[in-house]
Structure formats: C-alpha cells, structure tokens
Amino acid sequence: MNTRRDFLQLFAASAVTLPLTPLSTLAHEMSIIEEKYEGPVLQVAIMGLGNYGGTVAKAMQGCKKARLTGLISGTPAKLKEWQATYNISPKNCYNYENFDQIKNNPDIDAVYIITPNALHMEQAIRVAKAGKHVICEKPMALNAAEGQRMIEACSKAGVSLLVGYRMHFEPKTLEVIRMRKNGDFGKVLFFQGQSGFNIGDPKQWRLNKALSGGGSLMDIGIYSINGARYMVGEDPIWVTAQETKTQPERFGEGVDETIQFQLGFPSGAVASCLSTYAMNHLDRFYLNGEKGFAEMQPSTGYGPIKGRTHKGELTQPHQSHQMVQMEEMADIIINAQTPTVAVDGAEALKDLKIIDAIYEACRTGKKVTLQLG
Ligand code: NAD
C-alpha cells in the first residue's frame, strides 16, 4: 500500500467512516507521499489491533519512512481483516503465543505495542529479546519499577525503546516550546493542565485495575503530567495530590475517578492539574510567565490543536499526529535523529515516577519529594 493510488483509495474508503477529515489534512498527507523518497524505511508490526492500533495503522499509510509490515493479535478474524485492508503478508502475522518468532523475520524492524497498559512490560521485554525495536503506547508501564525493567531489557538487547508521545511532534506545541526557550514568556511561573473525559462502558479494560493499573491518571491525566514538563521546561521536584470519588459504583478500588495534583519545579514555578474520568470538555493547557502566556484548547486531543499566546493565534498547520510521530520515530531509530522533546524510555520513566508519587500523595495526604534525574 505505498502508491498514491492505494492511498487515495484508502482515504476514499475512510471518507465513509471519517466524514469530517479536513481537506487540509488530506492535502498535506497526499503531499507527503507525493514527495519521492528512496531512503531507508522502518518496518513496523502493530501489536494489539484495537481502537488506537487502527488509528495508527491508517495514519501510517501516509508515511514515507515508516511502513506497516506486520500484525500481532489474539483474534484470527481481526488478523484476516487487517491483512486484507493493509496488504500484509500472512507470514508477517503472529499471535501472543508465537510472536517471539519475529526474531527470524527480516520484514519487521520494530513492534508498536498498543495493548492494555498492564501488558506493556512483558510484551516489550519479549520484543526486545527478539532483537526488535520497541515502540510502546503511554503509559509505558504500570509503575516506575516496571518501566525501569523495560529500559534495562531494551538496553541489554541493543534496541531502541520509544513511547507514543505524539504531542512531542505537534507543530503548535513545538511553537510554544520554541517561544518558551526563546524567552518570549519571560520567567515561567505557572502551568495549569486539565485532562479528562466522561468514560463510557463500565466493562472496558480502562476501568479494570488489573489491566489499566489505575484510572484516569494512567490514561488521560498523564497528558497533564507530561505537558507540565514540556511546557514549563523543567522536571518537578515535589508533588501534592488529592483524590475525589463521586461515583464509587462506577470507579472501584484502585481506579481513580478524579485527581487534582500540584507540581513544584526547581525554578519556583508551580503547576496545578486535574485528571478525571467524570467530566467532559477538559483538554486545556495554560502557561503563564512574567512576560506572557500560552493557552491551548484542545491541547492534547487528536487535533486540530488550537491555541494562542500573548502574541496572537498559533497558526501552524494541522497534521495527523500519528503519521508525523511515525515519520519522526523512523528518523530517530534509523537516522539517530534527536527530537526536540525526548520520546525514549528515560522520558517515560519520569512520568511513571510522577504517577507513583501522585498515588502516594493521594494515599498519605503528604507532599512527596521527586528525584527524576
Ligand atoms: P482497545 O481496547 O481499543 O485495544 C486494545 C487491544 O488490545 C484490543 O485489540 C484487544 O483485543 C487487545 N488485547 C490483547 N490482550 C488483551 C487483554 N488481555 N485484555 C484486553 N485487551 C487485550 O484500547 P486502545 O484504546 O487501543 O488502547 C491501547 C493502548 O493505547 C493503551 O495503552 C492506551 O493508553 C493507548 N492509547 C494511546 C493513545 C494516544 O493518543 N497516544 C490513544 C488511545 C490509546
């Protein structure tokens, strides 16, 4: 599926299910594949053919430097359907029992793990042992101890470990980061992050502690945690947090519904954030400095991201986050490129340490000191 005609056919088909795909997005994605590219390509297998796996697979059809070449799933019917949709050879398809055999498959360079959070660590370690690069969805693991094991396994195997922080490649986000580095906001004083949505189906894995590792914080609050770090441009040194549960019948033991947390940074800047599974329309970042401000809403959804600063609207064009992420990750793995904001295991481990500390602060009511370095 690498010709322009194939891509247009896929988009014609997806227009039925995605009637709101902006024309500017299509035009941009078409322009990417129309540019001739003859360099190396990262061959990627997706593990976990669920909702987000589908989003990534579709977006990758617009990539030049990354190509979907393999599939890993426990459901034979899904494998068959995806094989046909994405023109994947049956010899590149695996299940959760036999995927260690990818080590003998030259058509697969990397595996993108897009399964429930609790499975990430073991799956990543198996992929690393098979000698393939690991791209893993957020949160990288259930806690910092697991994250550390993944980093060690990938390091030992000599493979990359990258985490799906798509916002680290998003143009409006990168512009705010550029302005902050340029001193346009002056000394940064305050960040506010609001991340939440009203979660549906009570039977889904996101509400099952054994599979999710927690609740809203693991899933959506992590955007405010990670965003606080890239917007302020520092790593926090302390955290305080408070949990509220208004619907205990929906959110069981260990599954957080709503958490407010505060972060303190070495410069004296502070952050105040909200993570919730019980309110809609919460996708907002606000950064305040001595000389100016940035606000983004939506700030981390699939976009288009909207935002403005004290200097005016942010006008950088929207691109499919997942397509750009995969192009950039191919460059990181194949061409040793360094992204503006890191997307590696060490970066993700910092978020896991903060998550551990937020849960501890909720439990104890105490201020927890952080050492992320
Ligand atoms: P999903 O439920 O739609 O898909 C999960 C897939 O894993 C399914 O195909 C399911 O069959 C498979 N699976 C394998 N073993 C399983 C098991 N034991 N129990 C349940 N499912 C099992 O979930 P999703 O929304 O695609 O989320 C998957 C991962 O992607 C999560 O880690 C999530 O945080 C992450 N995610 C990231 C983004 C992003 O924007 N970066 C967006 C959505 C999801």
Side-chain angles (χ1 to χ4, degrees), residues 89-166:
S89 164
K91 72 177 171 50
N92 295 349
C93 294
Y94 299 85
N95 58 41
Y96 292 108
E97 283 72 49
N98 69 11
F99 76 77
D100 311 83
Q101 291 168 18
I102 56 172
K103 71 170 179 286
N104 303 315
N105 191 333
D107 296 344
I108 296 171
D109 305 316
V111 175
Y112 195 161
I113 298 171
I114 317 185
T115 54
N117 310 338
L119 310 178
H120 294 177
M121 178 185 71
E122 194 217 314
Q123 290 169 341
I125 291 174
R126 283 173 65 187
V127 170
K129 281 189 176 156
K132 306 294 179 176
H133 301 293
V134 177
I135 304 173
C136 183
E137 253 320 311
K138 44 58 55 178
M140 178 168 76
L142 296 188
N143 51 50
E146 281 198 4
Q148 186 62 44
R149 285 186 59 195
M150 290 166 72
I151 290 172
E152 282 161 16
C154 290
S155 163
K156 193 170 164 201
V159 298
S160 298
L161 170 59
L162 304 183
V163 178
Y165 286 121
R166 59 188 162 73

Side-chain angles (χ1 to χ4, degrees), residues 1-4 6-8 10-11 25-35 37 55-68 86 319-320 322-327:
M1 176 92 50
N2 285 307
T3 67
R4 182 172 184 277
D6 287 340
F7 185 66
L8 289 175
L10 185 84
F11 260 92
T25 308
L26 289 179
H28 175 81
E29 294 184 359
M30 283 163 56
S31 74
I32 280 207
I33 56 163
E34 280 179 26
E35 283 168 30
Y37 175 75
T55 302
V56 171
K58 192 173 283 186
M60 281 183 69
Q61 303 313 297
C63 289
K64 294 179 302 180
K65 298 178 181 172
R67 184 181 304 142
L68 180 62
Y86 296 107
Q319 303 178 331
S320 153
Q322 293 79 13
M323 183 191 68
V324 177
Q325 175 197 313
M326 293 312 292
E327 286 289 271

